[in-house]
């Protein structure tokens, strides 16, 4: 079975139960179906299928489209694989929301992910029911909610969200085509397609402001940190009745920025990471779209003005020259030097922005992404195949297409080894052969065989491998829990859940072992998901 | 892409052999069996060095805890659909200690806007709404209606009066409703039925003798 649907099934089974999993399986394998189609394939009663569809639409993994078929209006349901795969990240999202915005924010995200969609009114209701001293807490929760909404971590839900995106696109295209008299030409059709795409994207972007009432206040107080001085603080109030849901893209963007800063810290030093963080905050990268290849341009002076004071004394930079006046380097000097380091590092973190004038730089996300993907790929090759095979692959990546003899010379390996290792890489789909025939009849003895590595293809295959690994890990967790079903049922008994000592020593040890195993498996699934983020989402 | 070309292109040497095997004459290879030419490990679980993963960091542990609590909350919510439990056969001692698997909250209590869902699913969220029968929207460009109009005109002459229009509409709606029932049957009854028209079961064929002596040989 192909890897993505299999992983989707595991996730849906774990989160929503066996019934929803069956419906999801049918939709994943058969594509779009009507309600009666699903009933026919799953052999389940109609009401059950309806409930499963409601659950899936509520959690934004299923989409519907109402189409006209002859005399009838039928409703097709389709499933969004990408949305299901994003659910792997839920633990990470809840944890980091707490880290960035406080404990209340993590509760808010938890509730929102639990219900699929949430209103501020429901949140206040929950706080009243479940928290001590609700009156004060409500204020805090409301404030955090507005903060999350204004930073676009949660967005309002519109009825169009549940409609399949491709249907919206086709409708918009049909409407645009109808406006053109005499039917559109091919070129006009292509233009319409591009325009409609842009229109839909703009709608998505502007959507983020829906559901909020805006108050703009200029905040010139001294206690506001310097970085905010450049931006008006926009205070948003959230309306009570609008449904909100989590915006995965924004979280992914923050994860990407964190990963970029971590890379800078690894490659250069901690000071470089800090400077890069300030750079990103300054250039407002935390609010733009994730598809952008570059951040907004900033200059060294801007960053220097927000440099924290401890960096001046302990900047992490070493000045070897005897300075005449024995004064400490200024903030601008430190920042400029770090910018040079960042610019010249192999990852090419920042580069000069030519159009904005002298001394303006942009963070080059595209290069960083390529660097991260390549680094991960090298690591995987080394751990999987050993040093020499990794060496061969790196030679091929850097030099392009080479013959076997040249590879052997460069890799400093005996001929037999290079042949075996090249064949090994070939069977794993990492390298390929290009034949260049010397004669008209393509006799193998008279053709040149060139080995090469196509990085894009490798990355795609690696992504599929990652999906397969995550699915295997999840399946293993499921099986481990299933083999210990009786033990787990014993744990759930009322008398045992109150008093753990009723279990025998063997049982307790078995539970401990199970917990350790599951923890290790889950952690490895989390790390695999990090890698998926690098390859797919950054 | 011819992978075979790579092996064949190297000429007369024995490719893929193991290092200990020099240019062994072909006749003696039979003694080695398949261990001579093929260097592939055939064990079901070959020996492998498996690396130990790094220990989980505190961040990862906390992420795991958040994920676990989320999944537990989801399991006890209205969104986790279970098949109905099997009927109880006999009363057991452990029943009184069984964890309360109360009926999970039904989907009606989740707060959601019915405008987010298609019409057929509204009954799940709001039991007061009856299941809407699939509307048969009357298409203006309905070819059937035109056909009816044509047949009516042919029968009644070219009287395009209001009465005809009304009759056509009623007929169209009526035939639209009946159409669904007839659709299934009409698929079966077809003019191009091979079985009825062409298929010859072979029952009526005469059994020929094997000896066909009448053939001419040129």
């Amino acid at each position: 079975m192909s890897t993505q649907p299999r992983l989707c099934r595991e996730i849906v089974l774990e989160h929503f139960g066996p019934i929803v999993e069956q419906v999801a399986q049918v939709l994943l394998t058969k594509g779009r179906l009507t309600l009666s189609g699903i009933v026919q394939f799953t052999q389940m009663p109609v009401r059950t299928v309806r409930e499963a569809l409601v659950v899936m639409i509520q959690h934004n993994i299923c989409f519907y489209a109402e189409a006209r078929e002859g005399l009838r209006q039928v409703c097709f349901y389709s499933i969004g694989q990408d949305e299901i795969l994003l659910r792997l990240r839920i633990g990470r999202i809840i944890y980091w929301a707490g880290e960035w915005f406080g404990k209340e924010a993590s509760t808010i995200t938890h509730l929102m992910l639990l219900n699929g969609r949430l209103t501020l009114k429901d949140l206040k209701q929950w706080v009243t029911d479940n928290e001590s001293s609700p009156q004060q807490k409500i204020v805090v929760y409301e404030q955090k909610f507005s903060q999350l909404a204004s930073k676009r971590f949660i967005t309002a839900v519109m009825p169009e969200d549940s409609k399949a995106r491709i249907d919206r696109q086709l409708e918009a295209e049909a409407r645009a085509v109808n406006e053109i008299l005499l039917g559109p030409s091919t070129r006009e059709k292509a233009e319409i397609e591009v325009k409609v795409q842009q229109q839909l994207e703009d709608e998505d972007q502007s959507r983020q402001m829906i559901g909020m009432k805006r108050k703009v206040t200029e905040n010139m107080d001294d206690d506001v940190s310097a970085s905010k001085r450049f931006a008006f603080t926009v205070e948003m109030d959230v309306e009570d009745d609008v449904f909100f849901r989590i915006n995965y893209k924004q979280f992914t963007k923050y994860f990407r920025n964190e990963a970029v800063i971590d890379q800078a810290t690894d490659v250069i030093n901690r000071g470089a990471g800090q400077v890069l963080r300030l750079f990103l905050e300054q250039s407002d990268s935390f609010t733009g779209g994730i598809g952008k290849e570059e951040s907004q341009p900033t200059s060294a002076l801007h960053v220097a003005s927000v440099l924290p004071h401890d960096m001046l004394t302990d900047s992490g930079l070493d000045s070897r020259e005897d300075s005449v006046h024995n004064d400490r380097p200024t903030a601008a000097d430190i920042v400029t030097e770090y910018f040079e380091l960042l610019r010249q590092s192999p990852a090419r973190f920042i580069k000069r922005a030519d159009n904005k004038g002298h001394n303006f730089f942009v963070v080059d996300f595209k290069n960083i992404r390529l660097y991260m993907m390549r680094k991960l790929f090298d690591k995987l090759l080394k751990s999987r195949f050993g040093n020499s095979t990794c060496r061969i692959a790196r030679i091929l990546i850097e030099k392009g297409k080479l013959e076997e003899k040249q590879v052997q010379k460069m890799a400093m390996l005996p001929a037999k080894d290079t042949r075996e290792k090249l064949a090994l890489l070939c069977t794993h789909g990492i390298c390929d052969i290009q034949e260049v025939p010397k004669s008209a009849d393509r006799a193998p003895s008279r053709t040149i065989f060139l080995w090469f590595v196509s990085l894009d293809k490798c990355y795609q295959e690696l992504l599929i491998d990652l999906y397969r690994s995550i699915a295997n890990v999840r399946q293993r967790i499921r099986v481990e829990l299933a083999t210990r079903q009786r033990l787990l049922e014993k744990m759930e008994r009322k008398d045992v859940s109150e008093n753990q000592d009723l279990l025998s020593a063997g049982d307790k040890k078995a539970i401990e072992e199970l917990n350790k195993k599951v923890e290790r498996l889950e952690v490895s699934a989390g790390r695999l998901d990090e890698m998926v983020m690098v390859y797919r989402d950054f | 892409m011819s992978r075979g070309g790579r092996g064949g292109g190297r000429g007369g040497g024995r490719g893929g052999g193991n290092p200990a095997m020099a240019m062994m004459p072909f006749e003696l290879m039979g003694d080695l069996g398949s261990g001579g030419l093929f260097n592939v490990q055939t064990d079901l679980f070959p020996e492998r060095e498996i690396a130990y993963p790094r220990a989980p960091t505190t961040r990862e542990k906390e992420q795991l805890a958040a994920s676990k609590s989320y999944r537990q909350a989801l399991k006890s919510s209205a969104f986790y659909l279970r098949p109905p439990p099997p009927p109880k056969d006999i009363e057991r001692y452990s029943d009184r200690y069984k964890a309360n698997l109360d009926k999970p909250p039904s989907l009606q209590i989740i707060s959601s806007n019915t405008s987010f869902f298609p019409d057929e699913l509204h009954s799940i969220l709001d039991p007061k709404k009856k299941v809407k029968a699939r509307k048969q929207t009357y298409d203006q460009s309905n070819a059937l209606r035109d056909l009816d109009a044509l047949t009516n005109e042919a029968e009644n002459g070219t009287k395009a009066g209001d009465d005809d229009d009304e009759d056509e509409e009623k007929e169209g709606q009526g035939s639209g409703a009946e159409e669904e029932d007839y659709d299934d049957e009409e698929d079966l009854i077809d003019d191009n039925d091979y079985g009825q028209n062409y298929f010859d079961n072979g029952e009526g064929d005469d059994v020929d003798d094997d000896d066909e002596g009448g053939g001419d040989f040129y």
Side-chain angles (χ1 to χ4, degrees):
Chain A
M1 198 186 191
S2 48
T3 43
Q4 256 174 311
R6 180 172 158 230
L7 180 54
C8 293
R9 273 179 62 194
E10 294 279 338
I11 297 173
V12 169
L13 176 60
E14 197 178 339
H15 285 190
F16 298 116
I19 295 183
V20 180
E21 188 246 343
Q22 277 197 325
V23 172
Q25 182 191 349
V26 162
L27 282 171
L28 282 165
T29 46
K30 310 270 181 200
R32 301 171 77 155
L33 285 175
T34 59
L35 183 62
S36 46
I38 303 175
V39 168
Q40 183 188 344
F41 284 119
T42 54
Q43 307 282 322
M44 288 201 291
V46 181
R47 186 179 168 82
T48 325
V49 173
R50 283 216 189 101
E51 287 179 351
L53 287 169
V54 162
V55 166
M56 288 202 286
I57 293 183
Q58 174 75 3
H59 283 262
N60 308 311
I61 53 182
C62 176
F63 303 104
Y64 69 92
E66 289 182 343
R68 188 173 299 245
E69 274 208 350
L71 289 173
R72 296 175 298 177
Q73 184 97 342
V74 291
C75 192
F76 283 95
Y77 298 97
S78 57
I79 214 163
Q81 284 188 12
D82 296 330
E83 280 77 14
I84 300 183
L85 292 173
L86 283 169
R87 289 184 74 86
L88 285 169
R89 238 166 264 171
I90 285 181
R92 188 183 293 263
I93 285 177
I94 298 178
Y95 170 73
W96 279 103
E99 286 285 304
W100 291 326
F101 297 106
K103 196 176 82 72
E104 288 81 15
S106 88
T107 325
I108 293 175
T109 36
H110 171 101
L111 286 169
M112 201 169 286
L113 286 164
L114 185 61
N115 286 317
R117 302 161 180 171
L118 197 67
T119 57
L120 188 56
K121 200 164 61 164
D122 290 328
L123 178 67
K124 290 186 195 168
Q125 183 68 39
W126 184 89
V127 173
T128 327
D129 292 336
N130 292 55
E131 292 265 1
S132 54
S133 69
Q135 299 313 104
Q136 307 149 316
K137 291 282 179 69
I138 283 187
V139 173
V140 179
Y141 271 91
E142 198 172 333
Q143 190 203 22
K144 295 284 172 173
F145 199 96
S146 335
Q147 204 182 6
L148 286 171
S150 68
K151 289 207 193 285
R152 301 204 202 126
F153 282 100
I154 54 184
T155 53
V157 185
M158 303 287 287
E160 289 91 54
D161 277 351
S162 298
K163 298 228 173 107
R165 195 191 165 88
I166 190 142
D167 279 83
R168 283 195 286 162
Q169 193 180 330
L170 291 171
E171 266 181 36
E173 278 180 21
R175 259 180 287 147
V177 160
N178 273 338
E179 285 170 20
I180 301 183
L181 304 168
L182 303 176
S185 67
T186 322
R187 190 159 50 98
E188 282 171 3
K189 271 200 202 147
E191 282 174 13
I192 287 175
E193 228 183 275
V194 170
K195 208 165 54 161
V196 159
Q197 283 280 40
Q198 190 61 37
Q199 211 177 359
L200 285 176
E201 273 184 36
D202 288 339
E203 269 179 31
D204 283 338
Q205 285 282 69
S206 64
R207 169 93 49 80
Q208 289 156 4
M209 287 297 147
I210 295 175
M212 305 205 276
K213 304 173 282 217
R214 230 173 134 134
K215 300 190 284 193
V216 178
T217 59
E218 284 183 31
N219 216 336
M220 293 306 233
D221 302 345
D222 286 322
D223 53 355
V224 175
S225 76
S227 66
K228 295 229 177 88
R229 220 182 284 148
F230 291 103
F232 295 126
T233 39
V234 180
E235 284 184 17
M236 305 283 206
D237 269 350
V238 181
E239 289 175 27
D240 267 2
D241 280 333
V242 179
F243 280 93
F244 279 86
R245 67 177 173 109
I246 297 274
N247 183 11
Y248 289 103
K249 282 206 191 118
Q250 189 72 6
F251 278 99
T252 316
K253 204 153 68 71
Y254 267 64
F255 290 146
R256 176 199 64 182
N257 290 347
E258 293 286 330
V260 164
I261 293 169
D262 281 339
Q263 280 291 314
T265 318
D266 281 340
V267 172
I268 307 177
N269 73 358
R270 202 174 56 87
Q274 279 184 326
V275 166
L276 196 56
R277 181 188 293 273
L278 292 169
F279 192 122
L280 286 169
E281 281 174 11
Q282 273 292 295
S283 59
D284 210 23
S285 296
F286 287 85
T287 44
I290 194 170
K292 295 217 182 108
E293 302 289 337
E294 301 173 344
S295 67
Q296 301 282 5
T298 329
S299 83
L301 295 169
H302 285 158
V303 179
S305 58
V306 295
L307 202 64
H309 290 290
D310 56 349
M311 285 276 279
L312 287 173
T313 44
D314 178 25
S315 72
L317 293 170
D318 197 21
S319 56
R320 291 176 191 278
E321 293 171 11
D322 304 322
S323 57
V324 178
H325 301 288
N326 198 24
D327 46 19
R328 301 197 194 96
T330 61
D333 290 335
I334 298 177
V335 168
T336 325
E337 220 181 307
Y338 268 124
F339 274 19
E340 264 312 296
L341 282 172
L342 285 167
R343 197 167 69 84
Q344 302 209 339
S345 85
R348 300 260 182 279
F349 288 101
I350 62 180
K351 60 181 189 192
R352 284 192 188 279
D354 299 319
N355 46 358
K356 274 277 178 171
H358 184 59
N359 243 3
F360 271 75
F361 296 88
V362 284
V363 177
D364 193 358
F365 288 123
K366 182 166 166 209
N367 262 333
I368 301 177
R369 193 191 326 146
L370 289 174
Y371 174 77
M372 285 202 281
M373 292 204 278
R374 176 71 198 279
K375 197 164 150 186
L376 209 50
F377 180 62
D378 280 345
K379 229 198 292 188
L380 279 163
L381 272 186
K382 204 184 271 197
S383 69
R384 218 170 171 192
F385 299 124
N387 265 326
S388 30
T389 322
C390 180
R391 201 157 73 217
I392 291 181
R394 249 192 258 152
I395 293 170
L396 285 172
I397 293 174
E398 277 170 40
K399 304 288 178 187
K401 295 190 172 57
L402 292 175
E403 254 196 313
E404 196 203 3
K405 256 232 172 56
Q406 297 167 304
V407 172
Q408 183 217 330
K409 267 202 209 129
M410 285 192 162
M412 300 177 286
L413 291 168
K416 171 141 279 169
D417 276 353
T418 50
R419 201 175 298 160
E420 276 179 16
K421 291 185 178 3
L422 281 169
L424 185 65
L425 286 176
C426 217
T427 47
H428 285 269
I430 296 175
C431 67
D432 265 332
I433 304 182
Q434 173 65 47
E435 298 151 12
V436 181
K438 285 194 245 187
S439 55
D441 59 339
R442 289 170 172 64
S445 57
R446 275 201 297 273
T447 59
I448 307 178
F449 292 97
L450 297 170
W451 299 82
F452 67 98
V453 171
S454 161
L455 269 182
D456 287 331
K457 172 186 168 212
C458 290
Y459 292 154
Q460 279 178 0
E461 283 196 19
L462 189 53
L463 188 59
I464 296 186
D465 271 346
L466 285 169
Y467 286 148
R468 196 183 302 128
S469 312
I470 302 181
N472 284 344
V473 167
R474 296 237 78 90
Q475 188 177 3
R476 181 61 190 259
I477 295 176
R478 190 161 48 90
V479 163
E480 294 277 343
L481 290 175
T483 47
R484 292 175 180 72
Q485 187 61 27
R486 290 195 64 196
L487 183 58
L488 290 171
E489 275 174 12
K490 230 194 262 185
M491 288 285 290
E492 281 176 21
R493 278 167 63 134
K494 275 188 270 191
D495 48 353
V496 174
S497 52
E498 287 162 19
N499 181 9
Q500 294 274 334
D501 290 330
L502 288 173
L503 293 172
S504 66
D507 277 346
K508 282 193 202 158
K509 220 173 76 160
I511 288 278
E512 254 188 62
E513 268 187 48
L514 172 67
N515 282 338
K516 241 200 278 180
K517 261 194 204 172
V518 169
E519 184 191 73
R520 251 187 254 148
L521 285 165
E522 291 271 7
V523 161
S524 61
R527 289 178 188 156
L528 286 167
D529 181 51
E530 257 187 73
M531 292 202 264
V532 168
M533 243 193 327
V534 171
Y535 279 100
R536 189 186 64 192
D537 294 326
F538 277 3
Chain B
M1 187 175 95
S2 63
R3 287 201 196 177
R6 173 182 56 77
R10 295 295 172 251
R14 298 271 139 76
N18 52 26
M21 190 187 79
M23 284 292 132
M24 190 177 292
F26 189 67
E27 291 77 15
L28 293 179
M29 290 264 237
D31 297 334
L32 286 174
S34 69
L37 278 177
F38 300 100
N39 204 13
V40 179
Q41 282 181 324
T42 49
D43 303 335
L44 190 56
F45 295 108
E47 292 295 318
R48 283 184 69 161
E49 278 184 26
I50 301 187
Y52 279 96
R54 309 190 297 272
T57 64
T58 25
R59 266 205 224 284
E60 285 174 339
K61 284 194 192 153
E62 290 189 32
Q63 280 175 18
L64 175 58
S67 162
K68 206 167 176 180
S69 79
Y70 170 75
R71 269 179 283 152
Q72 270 171 349
L74 199 53
K75 201 160 183 181
S76 53
S77 76
F79 297 110
Y80 194 92
L81 299 179
R82 292 185 177 81
K88 282 165 60 149
D89 41 2
I90 54 173
E91 198 180 321
R92 294 166 199 267
Y93 175 77
S94 58
D95 281 349
R96 66 164 106 161
Y97 291 118
K98 242 192 199 141
N100 268 344
L101 284 176
D102 291 335
K103 218 161 165 261
S106 93
L107 280 172
Q108 291 156 12
I109 66 165
I110 56 175
S111 72
S112 184
N113 201 345
T114 48
S115 66
F116 295 145
F117 296 89
D119 289 336
E120 22 185 49
L121 300 180
H122 286 181
S123 60
I124 305 279
L125 292 169
D126 189 1
K128 296 195 208 90
K129 290 196 189 166
K130 280 191 289 193
V131 176
K132 281 198 190 144
R134 260 185 259 140
K135 279 189 288 197
Q136 296 181 9
T137 53
Y138 207 49
D139 211 357
Q140 285 300 321
S141 59
N142 190 2
L144 198 63
R145 190 167 171 230
D146 296 332
L147 272 179
D148 282 341
L150 284 172
T151 45
N152 274 335
E153 281 182 17
E155 287 170 15
N156 307 334
T158 50
K159 257 202 280 181
D162 288 324
D163 301 87
D164 281 340
D165 279 0
E166 275 184 296
D167 286 334
E168 284 165 23
E169 278 200 37
K170 280 193 207 146
E171 274 182 41
Q173 279 184 349
S175 61
E178 292 170 86
E179 244 196 357
E180 273 194 72
D181 300 332
Y182 287 153
D183 254 329
D184 298 336
E185 293 179 44
E186 276 174 8
D187 280 332
L188 301 174
I189 307 168
D190 206 12
D191 285 341
N192 297 334
D193 202 358
Y194 175 74
Q196 282 185 348
N197 298 347
Y198 295 106
F199 178 58
D200 179 11
N201 210 3
E203 287 169 322
D205 287 339
D206 288 331
V207 177
D208 282 331
D209 286 329
D210 279 350
D211 189 27
E212 288 182 73
D216 284 323
F217 295 95
Y218 291 109

